[in-house]
Amino acid sequence: MSHAFHVPEITCHVSAGPMPEADALVVWVPSDQLADAVAQYGEATGGGLTAAVASGAFTGKVCDVSTYPCTRADWHVTYVVCVGAGPAADVDAERVRRLAAVAAHACRKLRAPRVAWVDAAMGSLSDAQRLD
């Protein structure tokens, strides 16, 4: 029996501008930068990320995923998907590839066709390392 598969079109845009419109905002969170992630995204998750970090439910362990509805009205985002990246010093292109696969799976479960990706620690990985 054959099945018809639809492969979605993937379009990438790089922007340092305002938050893009997206169904899901993926944030990779190094385990040693949880406080930074809470400071930047705690409010946007309605306090969900703050509570998860405080209780130990989200530790930033590699490929750990926590999803929250986005509560910031000025962001045109439905969900915030936090993906644990492990220690920042261990993040390399292969780790980013794994994080992207985990994030894609989480966004697929949310049925989120438009996904934006930001770093909890901007600048901790160079563009050359990302595209290696």
Side-chain angles (χ1 to χ4, degrees):
M1 173 188 255
S2 68
H3 296 279
F5 291 99
H6 172 71
V7 178
E9 181 179 328
I10 298 174
T11 305
C12 297
H13 301 280
V14 177
S15 172
M19 189 64 64
E21 282 192 30
D23 298 300
L25 172 66
V26 174
V27 182
W28 68 270
V29 182
S31 58
D32 50 357
Q33 296 173 0
L34 291 173
D36 294 336
V38 167
Q40 290 180 342
Y41 301 101
E43 178 189 344
T45 61
L49 178 60
T50 306
V53 169
S55 70
F58 183 77
T59 61
K61 179 180 166 187
V62 176
C63 298
D64 188 17
V65 177
S66 238
T67 303
Y68 311 95
C70 184
T71 59
R72 286 200 46 174
D74 59 329
W75 289 6
H76 302 286
V77 174
T78 306
Y79 297 101
V80 177
V81 179
C82 297
V83 180
D90 295 345
V91 176
D92 58 9
E94 176 60 21
R95 174 77 51 88
V96 171
R97 184 196 66 76
R98 287 181 57 206
L99 299 176
V102 168
H105 181 71
C107 292
R108 182 177 181 192
K109 287 173 57 177
L110 294 171
R111 300 186 188 281
R114 298 175 306 151
V115 177
W117 174 284
V118 297
D119 300 344
M122 294 302 287
S124 60
L125 190 64
S126 72
D127 291 340
Q129 287 172 301
R130 288 172 199 281
L131 301 174
D132 182 19

